[in-house]
């Protein structure tokens, strides 16, 4: 129904004459009547998501993957949504159209979208009484931005029905607005958000940031401070907020510093983690100058850095980027463990790529990403040495035998639990074999006397490891017999194996081992409780649209291994909801990914779980394949996903249709 030939001009008196909107609708129905409605639904999602994130580049990327033939409907939907919103939506919509022209949306398509708006302005007035005036502003801004030609205005005016007075007045007002000098300034002042943040200089922004932080120190009003930062409308300049916040705190009392630290934590939910890190790096770079005015500046900055990492505002690995003088002041268990354990890994001549993968595992607890790194490296002959290094890392976490039975709230045994859980999970995925684990333990037992010279309680840790791995069915019970035969009676190694066998032979062996091994493993009842909590948080978010509260609640759950459940549950709720719910889920997933709360691997696993239940989902949502395709494409555009396996054919065909 379309080709590359230039269409013929038709006279309006011709009985076959159709208006632009009628031609578009007729063309859409020539292939399939439902296509137009489907695209309208996608445009609703894109527009809602855009007015949530205001990300022009990402919106254009998603829009470019859809069929250009339907883009006039997008123009109409975008401007209609901007009419019924805040003043900043006017400028955002205008900037999006300017950025989209001409590569994504042609001038003819923009003009066609405005013509459709003119024809429906009476309907728009029912919801937005000022719709005619707002449409005049958009037309004037379109002419100034060279999106609409004056010739099109004149042609449209001459072709209007004599009874269509509203459209005539709208076009006349738009034409009048662009006449005379300073027409651009008049139109921009009308559309730009209050305060004109887009027109502010860097110096003006710095002054406003300093003023709002000083005001916060007087009233401790977190809500007002966050609102003022949001109204700056300069997310690219939030690193200045972070820097100024820390610098102003240097010579302040402790209660002021604690308040500023809490404000930083709250601000982190409304900005990108890169802005937070940039602000801290700027402070690090000026630390020597700051110490001239405040001799204790390094201690204050170290305290801010440590609290930001502990609260999740900064990633755990950021501590290694601090100056050496600050690193020595940071009291971060994971960082201290990494310093001690990396030396042991390098002594075993583990390749740098695997050392980096282990370090990332210790800092992020992301087993899925670690497994992917091992598969990509593809050298199973190094797995015994790698396993030995992993288990040896856990030795450095103990300072005394009492630590083996310490309380969970003291954050002990974290690395041992992570390593044991990781070995069990990767063994179930056939990445590690039982033989490789046995070889690693045999090497450790052979050098146990050397470990005990540096870490006296390493024998107790290894005893619990042996029992735990047998209990988790990573090792066979017969493995202990072979290990006992490999080491002479009376040695430390033989004693460790014997103690592990005694521990496993006890009637209450599960309670005995768990009594020493306090970790993060959960019972099935605990897992169900976590799933209910996740569902409740997501439902409350979709009802209230409070993104900060949702991210904070999910972070407080502290479930790095179950973030795929968050993704799965969010996608299922999006399928059951309206277009607004889908847009909110897109915004939530993008925020979780940007803050590092959900890794790409966890995101992919969540999508794959939903794909695996597609047949059941389609019983309740017949178009679930199409909706999932849109959510998948949007997640890719937001950088939440790099790739995904096991995509059903029905979803894959829909994805290809969107990209076509």
């Amino acid at each position: 129904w379309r080709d590359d030939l230039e269409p013929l001009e038709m006279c309006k008196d011709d009985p076959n004459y159709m208006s632009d909107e009628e031609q578009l609708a007729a063309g859409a129905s020539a292939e399939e009547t439902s296509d137009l409605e489907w695209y309208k639904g996608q445009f609703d999602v894109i527009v809602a998501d855009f007015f949530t994130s205001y990300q022009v580049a990402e919106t254009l990327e998603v829009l470019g993957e859809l069929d250009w033939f339907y883009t006039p409907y997008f123009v109409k939907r975008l401007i209609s949504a901007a009419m019924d919103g805040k003043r900043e939506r006017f400028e955002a919509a205008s900037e999006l159209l300017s950025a989209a022209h001409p590569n994504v949306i042609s001038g003819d398509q923009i003009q066609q979208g405005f013509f459709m708006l003119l024809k429906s302005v009476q309907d728009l007035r029912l919801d937005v009484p000022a719709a005619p005036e707002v449409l005049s502003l958009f037309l004037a801004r379109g002419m100034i931005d060279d999106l609409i030609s004056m010739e099109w205005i004149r042609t449209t005016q001459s072709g209007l029905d004599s009874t269509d007075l509203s459209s005539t007045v709208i076009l006349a007002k738009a034409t009048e607005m662009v006449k005379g000098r300073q027409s651009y300034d008049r139109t921009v002042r009308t559309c730009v958000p209050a305060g004109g943040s887009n027109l502010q200089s860097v110096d003006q922004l710095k002054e406003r940031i300093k003023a709002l932080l000083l005001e916060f120190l007087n009233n401790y009003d977190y809500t007002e401070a966050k609102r003022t930062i949001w109204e700056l409308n300069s997310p690219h300049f939030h690193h200045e907020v972070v820097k100024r916040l820390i610098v102003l705190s240097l010579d302040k009392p402790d209660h002021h510093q604690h308040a500023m630290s809490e404000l930083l934590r709250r601000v982190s939910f409304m900005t990108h983690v890169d802005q937070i890190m940039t602000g801290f790096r700027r402070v690090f770079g000026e630390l020597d100058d700051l110490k001239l005015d405040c001799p204790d500046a390094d201690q204050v900055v170290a305290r801010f850095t440590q609290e930001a990492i502990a609260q999740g505002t900064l990633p755990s690995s950021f501590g290694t980027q601090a100056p050496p003088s600050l690193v020595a002041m940071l009291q971060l268990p994971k960082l201290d463990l990494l310093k001690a354990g990396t030396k042991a890994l390098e002594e075993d001549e583990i390749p740098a790529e695997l050392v980096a993968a282990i370090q990332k595992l210790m800092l992020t607890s992301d087993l899925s990403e670690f497994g992917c790194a091992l598969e990509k490296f593809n050298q199973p002959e190094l797995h015994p040495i790698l396993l030995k290094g992993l288990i040896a890392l856990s030795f450095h976490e103990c300072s005394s035998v009492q630590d083996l039975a310490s309380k969970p709230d003291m954050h002990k045994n974290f690395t041992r639990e992570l390593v044991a859980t990781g070995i069990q999970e990767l063994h179930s995925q056939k990445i590690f074999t039982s033989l490789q684990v046995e070889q690693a333990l045999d090497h450790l037992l052979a050098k146990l006397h050397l470990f005990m010279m540096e870490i006296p309680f390493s024998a107790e840790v290894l005893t619990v490891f042996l029992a735990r791995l047998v209990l988790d069915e990573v090792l066979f019970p017969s493995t202990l017999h072979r290990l006992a035969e490999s080491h002479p009676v009376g040695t430390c190694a033989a004693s460790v194996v014997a103690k592990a066998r005694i521990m496993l032979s006890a009637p209450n062996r599960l309670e005995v081992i768990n009594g020493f091994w306090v970790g993060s493993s959960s019972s099935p009842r605990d897992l169900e409780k976590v799933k209910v909590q996740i569902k409740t948080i997501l439902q409350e978010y979709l009802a209230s649209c409070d993104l900060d509260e949702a991210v904070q609640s999910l972070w407080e759950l502290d479930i790095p291994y179950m973030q795929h459940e968050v993704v799965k549950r969010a996608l299922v709720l999006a399928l059951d909801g309206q277009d607004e719910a889908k847009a909110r889920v897109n915004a939530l997933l993008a925020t979780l990914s940007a803050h590092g709360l959900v890794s790409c691997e966890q995101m992919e696993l969540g999508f794959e779980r939903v794909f695996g239940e597609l047949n059941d989902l389609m019983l309740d949502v017949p178009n679930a394949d199409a909706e999932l395709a849109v959510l998948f494409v949007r997640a890719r555009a937001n950088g939440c996903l790099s790739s995904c396996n096991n995509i059903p054919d029905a979803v894959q065909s829909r994805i290809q249709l969107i990209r076509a």
Side-chain angles (χ1 to χ4, degrees), residues 116 337 631:
M116 294 162 63
L337 172 65
L631 291 168

Side-chain angles (χ1 to χ4, degrees), residues 350-562:
I350 297 177
E353 296 90 336
L354 290 182
V355 172
I358 293 175
Q359 290 175 335
K360 192 169 185 180
L361 171 66
M362 294 296 108
L363 293 170
T364 65
S365 307
D366 194 334
L367 288 171
S368 300
E369 188 172 352
F370 181 62
C372 292
L374 291 179
E375 290 181 329
K376 183 178 179 181
F377 196 71
N378 194 25
Q379 289 195 20
E381 65 275 7
L382 293 177
H383 286 179
I385 300 177
L386 177 64
L387 285 162
K388 173 192 171 184
L390 274 174
I391 299 174
L393 273 177
S394 63
F395 292 170
H396 295 273
E397 194 174 25
C398 275
S399 59
S400 67
V401 70
Q402 285 79 11
D403 285 348
L404 288 171
S406 58
K407 297 180 180 180
D409 57 2
M410 295 175 68
H411 300 287
K412 299 293 183 180
N413 305 319
F414 170 83
T415 302
R416 286 195 302 280
E417 178 64 25
L418 176 61
V419 171
T421 305
I423 293 175
Q424 179 190 19
E425 184 171 326
L426 296 176
H427 176 266
S428 65
Q429 297 175 13
K430 312 296 184 183
I431 296 177
F432 290 151
T433 66
S434 297
L435 180 59
Q436 291 170 346
V437 178
E438 181 180 343
Q439 291 173 344
L441 290 168
D442 194 29
H443 293 161
L444 281 171
L445 289 168
K447 294 186 177 182
L448 183 59
H449 60 287
L450 299 177
F451 280 107
M452 292 182 66
M453 294 175 62
E454 183 180 354
I455 309 168
F457 302 99
S458 55
E460 285 80 358
V461 180
L462 190 55
T463 300
V464 183
F465 249 108
L466 275 171
R468 172 67 182 267
L469 292 174
V470 174
L471 195 66
D472 289 342
E473 298 183 352
V474 175
L475 296 175
F476 298 103
S478 58
T479 303
L480 298 182
H481 295 282
R482 288 194 296 271
L483 291 175
E485 293 174 354
S486 302
H487 302 280
V489 177
T491 61
C492 294
S495 176
V496 165
V497 176
K499 289 181 180 179
R501 293 172 66 180
I502 293 172
M503 190 176 292
L504 287 168
S505 64
N508 57 341
R509 54 186 175 275
L510 184 61
E511 291 78 6
V512 171
I513 294 175
N514 285 338
F516 285 95
W517 204 285
V518 182
S520 60
S521 58
S522 302
S523 66
R525 182 176 299 177
D526 294 332
L527 295 178
E528 290 301 322
K529 182 179 178 181
V530 170
K531 290 181 180 180
V532 171
Q533 290 175 322
I534 291 172
K535 183 178 179 180
T536 302
I537 292 171
L538 293 175
Q539 288 175 335
E540 290 178 354
Y541 163 66
L542 293 179
S544 65
C545 199
D546 191 339
L547 185 60
D548 290 354
E549 180 65 24
V551 174
Q552 173 71 10
S553 299
L554 291 172
W555 177 76
E556 289 176 351
L557 284 181
D558 193 21
I559 47 171
Y561 307 123
M562 285 191 63

Side-chain angles (χ1 to χ4, degrees), residues 198-313:
N198 287 347
L199 304 177
Q200 293 181 105
S201 66
V202 172
D203 291 337
Q204 289 174 322
L205 279 173
K206 288 183 177 180
E207 288 300 320
R208 290 189 65 186
I209 290 170
K210 182 178 180 180
L212 74 89
L213 291 174
L214 291 175
E215 179 68 21
F216 169 76
L217 288 176
N218 290 329
N219 56 27
Y220 290 156
D221 191 337
Y222 293 99
T223 303
E224 177 66 18
K226 286 178 60 179
R227 184 189 62 79
T228 308
I229 293 172
W230 181 264
E231 288 180 350
L232 291 175
N233 197 24
S234 301
H236 62 283
F237 208 61
H238 282 173
H239 58 81
E240 176 68 22
V241 177
V242 177
K243 177 199 169 185
R244 185 63 57 185
L245 182 149
I246 298 174
V247 172
L248 288 177
S249 303
L250 294 179
D251 56 352
K252 296 292 188 293
D254 288 346
H255 64 280
H256 281 308
Q257 294 178 5
H258 289 311
M260 285 292 213
S261 180
E262 175 62 18
L263 177 61
L264 176 61
R265 185 188 70 82
R266 300 191 185 194
V267 169
S268 69
F269 294 111
M270 54 186 287
T271 189
H272 197 280
V273 66
D274 288 344
Q275 292 288 317
I276 305 292
M277 292 192 292
T278 300
F280 271 88
R281 292 192 190 103
R282 292 180 61 195
V283 175
F284 293 161
E286 300 177 9
L287 190 58
D288 291 338
D289 294 335
L290 294 173
K291 290 174 68 174
L292 297 177
D293 298 324
C294 179
D296 296 332
D298 52 352
Q299 298 179 12
V300 178
V301 174
R303 188 183 309 127
F304 268 91
T305 306
Q306 181 168 324
E307 290 181 1
I309 294 175
Q311 294 169 350
T313 304

Side-chain angles (χ1 to χ4, degrees), residues 31-44:
E31 182 177 28
E32 188 177 354
T33 306
S34 61
D35 278 358
L36 179 58
E37 295 301 319
W38 185 85
Y39 275 97
K40 284 184 177 180
Q42 306 315 305
F43 291 147
D44 287 343

